[in-house]
Structures are given as structure tokens and as C-alpha cells.
Amino acid sequence: MTTIHDAPDEFAEDQLAGWLALYADRVRGVHGGVVGLPTEGAEPQVAVVVGGGSGHYPAFCGVVGPGFATGAVVGNVFTSPSTAQVYSVAKAADQGKGVVLSFGNYAGDTMNFGLAAERLRAEGIDTRIVVVTDDVASAEDPASRRGIAGDFSVFKAMGAAAAAGSDLDEVERIGNASNAATRTIGVAFSGCTMPGATEPLFTVPEGHLGLGLGIHGEPGIEDVPLLRATELADLLVSRLLADRPTAAGTRVAPILNGLGDTKYEELFLLWGRIVPLLQDAGVEVVEPEVGELVTSLDMGGCSLTLQWLDDELETLWRADAYTPAYRKVAAPVAALVPADAVDVAEDEATVVPDATDASRRAAGTARAAVEAVDALLRDHEEELGRIDAVAGDGDHGRGMVKGIGAARKAVDRVGQEAGVATVLGRAGDAWAEFAGGTSGVLWGAALEAFGRSLGDDRPSYGPGDVVEAAQAFADSIVHLGGASRGDKTLLDALLPFVDELRSAVDGGAPLVAAWETAARVAVEQAAATADLKPKVGRARPLAEKSLGTPDAGATSMGMILTRVGEVLAARAEQEGVNA
């Protein structure tokens, strides 16, 4: 929701005033918009004036600067600027070489920019119009399509051409060629809310996304079930490849654009799924852009733009630009070494130490336990997050899933010849590396300690060996974490577990029975942490608030120990061992 404003009906004017104050060193305000300040010693050039409604930043004023637009017309939120505004900005931007007006294909923009062009021509200013029509979802006929994020690609080509000294005919031709080579498809996850409004302009049904959205608060052409990142990437890429321009080559300049409420990290993830699809289709990616370039206030969603390049368009795409919202330097950074030229040392993780048969059998149990705990934590991720959010940052479930997921991948990469110390050591390394945070370090070190205690060279393992490994696991956490029993941490479940396990094994109980008894104690003690106040960690400042809620780390510890006990029982039954 757009919440920062004084008078909602003056939002467009007020935000532009603040923006102008911020960038007064490179732009100046004129009636209806902004123009760039002249560069000392620069020759006059064709003025590329772009524009549309507000709410799309960085479009449109954010791309005014050397190598890009000469001026930008700024209308009200999602509203075409008036004829007078377009005329005013174009008149201020004109350097005696003519003006190109460019905008997305919307009725209001077409009328107002068109009327302004007539007025400018009547005064002797040669004015051309380039309309952007990149949205493949909006119409079958390319000439009838809307202009959305492809605006950026077309504006960039014309701005670079003008900066290079091209005349008006050339800049107009390049603009039309760029538009003909550009295709975009977008999706929405949520609607945007106008300043002062309490409800979004549209909503997307639960569990769905809107396919083929516009950028003025209009919903998609159709609602389709929400897709995983891989499936979404395939949808975006396949739609654009199916609409590739006639005689298109194999090079593209892609833009993965966020619409205002989609996090950059999400866009990066999606881009990682898009790249191999383009490569598999024989498409060469040229200097891709990923980020917010043409937004729609706080709309959740994204779009993929492909501009199919020839030599001319590629040169213009790579050309330098310097604007408040976009900077590009064509020259490479000389100090960087290409990734494929860097010598990579042998990965120590590929070396598997020798192990006894007993250690390899124990490793099989460890693999099964890691797999079972992976499934367990994924099932309980949200529950653990909710518990942690009461007095913490709510990330315990996600962190544990991240850790066990990395551990499972590491275990899967280790050959079947590896012993239990190697398997658990690699699992611990991966957990610590990829989970991060305090719990990642603790779990990683503890798993390594458990494996190291068992070793890969023993001819056999008994219940006492497992007890000592569990003690090493706990000692590692105590040493690294600096907590004690009663501090409301995972130790409040783990230490009673180790004590009970030792007591049961010393009393003659088989390992499986002893583990199951000890795990029940751990679960009980985890629940009892609801009566404790945290004395260490992030939850300590919110100690009172945490009363009545068990510790998330202790809770997950109890769950994991219980599930490992189930794995031990299943393995014992398979091997015919007395449980």
C-alpha cells in the first residue's frame, strides 16, 4: 500500500518535487516533467522525450541523462500527461536537432503526445513519434499491443543513438526497429493500491497469478494456478520464444523486471531458472538487466522482456548511460579475470577416506536419518517459524530446512564407500555453510563432532560408542554456544536426552529402546521450556513475551531426536537386530 503522502490527489506532484530536490545536480524541473542538464562541451543532439503516468519509477524521469532520455513527461498516477505537459517538456528539451516523443501504446498517451507533436511541428520543431508495443499478451496484432517494460529497451536504443550523434531520421528509425525487435510477457501476484485508497485496484485469487498484466493497475488477461520458479521461468520464456520476430537472430538483451513489490532476491532466483532455458534454445544472452525498471506502484509481479539484437541494436544496448536510476559503462573492468580462466584446485570433498565395513553400515543409518529429518523439518517449517517469531526473528524453521537440505545434498554426493565419520562430517560442513546463523554453526559443528567420535576405522560399534558420540555432539554445542541448561535453548532438550540415553544404556537397555526413551524425555523437556525465560540469544530482550511458548530450538531438537529413533528402530528391524 502507498502510505506516505499528505494529500493523495497531489501525490504525483509531491513525489516529483522530492525527486527533483534529490537530483538537482543533473536534472531540472519544467512544467509537466523534467529535462537533463546540459553536459559541458557536448554537441547539440536529437531530443528523446519519453513519458507517461507516475507510479512506474524508474520510468520515466529516472532514465533522463546522458546516453538515455533527454526529458521525461510525468503525468498523474497511471494517467497520461496532458498535451500541455508534453509540449512544455519537449520544448525545453529541444536542442535544435528535432524531437522524438516515445511512450507506451495507450489511448490517452497516443492522443496527448500526438496533439503535442502537432503543436511542436506548427512552431517549426521537427517532431517524430515512436510508440512502444511490446506486450505479447495484450493483442495478436503487434501494432495493437500495449507498451510495458519494453519501453526501457526502446528508450535506451534511441537515447544511445542520439548521444552518438545520429540525426532525427536515424533516431526515429532505430526506435521503430528496436520496438519491432522487443517482446514482453508479465505476471502479477497481487494488485497495487493507489495513494489514499484502502483496497488494491484488483486482486489475484488465492493460489493463482495473473498472466499478461499491464502496468497501470489493470489485472492480467487470465488467472492461472501459481507456479514454482522453474515452471514460471518456462512459461515466460516459452511465450516469448513463440513470438520471436521474423528473421530474428540468436542474440537477445533480456530484462527481468520487478513491478514494485517483488523482492530482488526473488528476481535473482527466477533469473537463475531463465538463463538455462534461453541457452538450451540456442539464444545468446547479452548484458541482461534484472531489477525494477518499469514498476506499477506496489504491485507484486514481474515481467520478462527480450529484445532481439542485430549488430546495430547490440551496440546501442551496450552503450554508456548515466541517469539517476540507471548507469552503464561499456568498457570492461580490466582487473577481472574470466571465470573459465581461473584455476580451480581439486575439491577436497571429492576425496573419500578409507572406512571399515562397520563404518559404512553406520553411514547407511546416518544417510537414512538425514533423509528422514529432511522430510520432518520441511513438514514442520511453518510451525517452527511461528514458535520462533513469538520472541525471535521467525527464521528457525527456514534455517533448519536450509541446513538439513544442504546436509542431505552433501550426503548424496558422498559415495557409498564413505564411512559414518565422513558422511556426518560432510553433512555438518554443508549445514554450517549454507544454513548460516547461530543454529547453522551449532548444528554443523555438532554433526561433525558426532561423526568424529564414531570414526571411520572401527571394526564394530556398540551402544556405548553412540552414547559417547551423542555426548560429543552436546559438548560441541555447549562449547560454541556458551549456553547452559535452563537458558531456554535447544540444550534444555538435548542435555536431558544425553543423560537419559547414557543412563539407559548403562542399565543394559538396547540402543533403540534407550534412544526412544531418551527422545521422549527430550520432547517433554522441550515443552517445559514454555515456563522459562531466555537468558541468551536474540530472544533475551523479549524474555517476558516468550513465557508460555516453548523454545523453537528445543522443540526442533525433540522432533529430530524422535525421528532419528524411528530410523534406528527401522534399521534394526531390517537387519534383525534385537531392539
Side-chain angles (χ1 to χ4, degrees):
M1 181 177 292
T2 309
T3 55
I4 300 177
H5 50 72
D6 288 327
D9 58 327
E10 297 177 2
F11 178 84
E13 294 84 354
D14 289 346
Q15 64 86 22
L16 183 59
W19 185 84
L20 285 167
L22 180 62
Y23 294 110
D25 61 327
R26 61 190 86 171
V27 297
R28 67 183 176 94
V30 298
H31 174 65
V34 303
V35 294
L37 295 178
T39 303
E40 185 177 354
E43 293 293 326
Q45 66 176 59
V46 172
V48 177
V49 176
V50 303
S54 298
H56 304 303
Y57 194 84
F60 297 94
C61 58
V63 297
V64 173
F68 222 127
T70 318
V73 195
V74 183
N76 204 349
V77 179
F78 298 163
T79 303
S80 167
S82 68
T83 299
Q85 289 175 312
V86 178
Y87 168 81
S88 171
V89 175
K91 188 78 182 257
D94 177 40
Q95 300 175 21
K97 297 290 186 178
V99 176
V100 176
L101 302 178
S102 192
F103 48 89
N105 188 25
Y106 298 90
D109 292 308
T110 299
M111 287 188 288
N112 284 297
F113 277 86
L115 289 171
E118 292 179 8
R119 184 174 174 184
L120 291 163
R121 291 172 190 140
E123 295 185 9
I125 299 175
D126 195 349
T127 305
R128 314 292 175 84
I129 289 178
V130 172
V131 183
V132 183
T133 57
D134 61 305
D135 182 10
V136 302
S138 57
E140 288 292 331
D141 176 18
S144 301
R145 291 172 174 172
R146 300 177 294 201
I148 49 176
D151 284 354
F152 187 92
S153 305
V154 178
F155 299 165
K156 173 69 169 64
M158 290 191 291
S166 297
D167 63 20
L168 185 60
D169 289 338
E170 271 295 282
V171 174
E172 179 188 22
R173 179 191 65 78
I174 285 168
N176 287 323
S178 176
N179 179 61
T182 303
R183 303 287 189 272
T184 301
I185 182 76
V187 295
F189 311 126
S190 61
C192 56
T193 306
M194 296 284 281
T198 58
E199 298 294 332
L201 291 174
F202 72 92
T203 58
V204 178
E206 184 74 22
H208 287 71
L209 58 81
L211 175 63
L213 77 159
I215 56 169
H216 293 95
E218 63 269 62
I221 304 300
E222 62 176 312
D223 294 325
V224 301
L226 194 62
L227 304 172
R228 294 169 62 90
T230 301
E231 298 164 331
L232 177 57
D234 183 67
L235 171 66
L236 297 175
V237 171
S238 62
R239 290 292 183 104
L240 294 187
L241 294 183
D243 204 285
R244 65 200 301 167
T246 304
T250 59
R251 291 168 291 165
V252 297
I255 295 174
L256 182 58
N257 175 59
L259 285 155
D261 191 48
T262 301
K263 301 300 294 181
Y264 270 70
E265 290 87 345
E266 295 179 90
L267 296 175
F268 298 151
L269 187 157
L270 182 58
W271 177 246
R273 303 294 189 269
I274 288 171
V275 171
L277 296 176
L278 293 173
Q279 293 172 337
D280 290 347
V283 175
E284 178 185 350
V285 172
V286 177
E287 295 189 5
E289 296 289 345
V290 177
E292 293 185 344
L293 297 173
V294 183
T295 62
S296 185
L297 285 179
D298 61 340
M299 184 186 291
C302 62
S303 62
L304 178 64
T305 299
L306 297 180
Q307 182 179 82
W308 298 85
L309 302 173
D310 55 18
D311 290 345
E312 178 180 62
L313 289 179
E314 181 172 345
T315 298
L316 297 171
W317 177 250
R318 291 180 180 273
D320 290 359
Y322 184 86
T323 79
Y326 181 77
R327 301 175 187 180
K328 176 172 255 185
V329 178
V333 180
L336 296 181
V337 179
D340 56 4
V342 178
D343 291 331
V344 179
E346 182 182 3
D347 185 356
E348 293 183 1
T350 62
V351 179
V352 177
D354 292 335
T356 63
D357 290 341
S359 184
R360 285 194 288 269
R361 286 195 298 273
T365 301
R367 293 174 192 274
V370 168
E371 181 177 347
V373 172
D374 183 33
L376 168 78
L377 290 175
R378 292 181 190 280
D379 287 344
H380 293 276
E381 177 184 349
E382 292 187 10
E383 175 189 351
L384 293 171
R386 285 194 300 270
I387 294 172
D388 188 39
V390 172
D393 51 14
D395 68 344
H396 184 69
R398 175 55 53 89
M400 293 295 286
V401 167
K402 188 76 173 176
I404 190 63
R408 181 173 180 178
K409 290 178 182 178
V411 168
D412 289 343
R413 288 193 297 268
V414 180
Q416 296 297 316
E417 295 302 307
V420 65
T422 300
V423 167
L424 289 177
R426 301 287 169 81
D429 283 343
W431 193 312
E433 178 179 357
F434 292 100
T438 302
S439 67
V441 174
L442 296 179
W443 270 94
L447 284 173
E448 286 189 75
F450 195 105
R452 189 165 53 249
S453 176
L454 292 175
D456 281 337
D457 56 354
R458 296 190 184 188
S460 63
Y461 296 93
D465 298 320
V466 176
V467 171
E468 294 307 318
Q471 186 69 62
F473 183 99
D475 289 345
S476 173
I477 293 177
V478 170
H479 174 72
L480 284 174
S484 303
R485 196 178 308 204
D487 286 346
K488 197 167 186 174
T489 70
L490 59 80
L491 292 176
D492 291 308
L494 176 58
L495 295 181
F497 166 83
V498 175
D499 289 346
E500 181 61 31
L501 182 67
R502 183 180 297 279
S503 176
V505 168
D506 287 348
L511 176 61
V512 170
W515 191 288
E516 289 176 344
T517 300
R520 285 194 293 271
V521 170
V523 171
E524 292 169 0
Q525 293 301 310
T529 61
D531 298 328
L532 300 177
K533 294 181 183 180
K535 299 178 182 178
V536 295
R538 293 183 182 178
R540 184 169 57 85
L542 299 173
E544 295 294 335
K545 187 177 180 181
S546 77
L547 280 173
T549 302
D551 178 67
T555 301
S556 62
M557 179 62 73
M559 290 179 175
I560 291 170
L561 293 172
T562 300
R563 182 57 57 89
V564 172
E566 294 169 357
V567 171
L568 291 175
R571 298 282 293 188
E573 183 176 353
Q574 291 172 4
E575 297 173 6
V577 177
N578 179 16

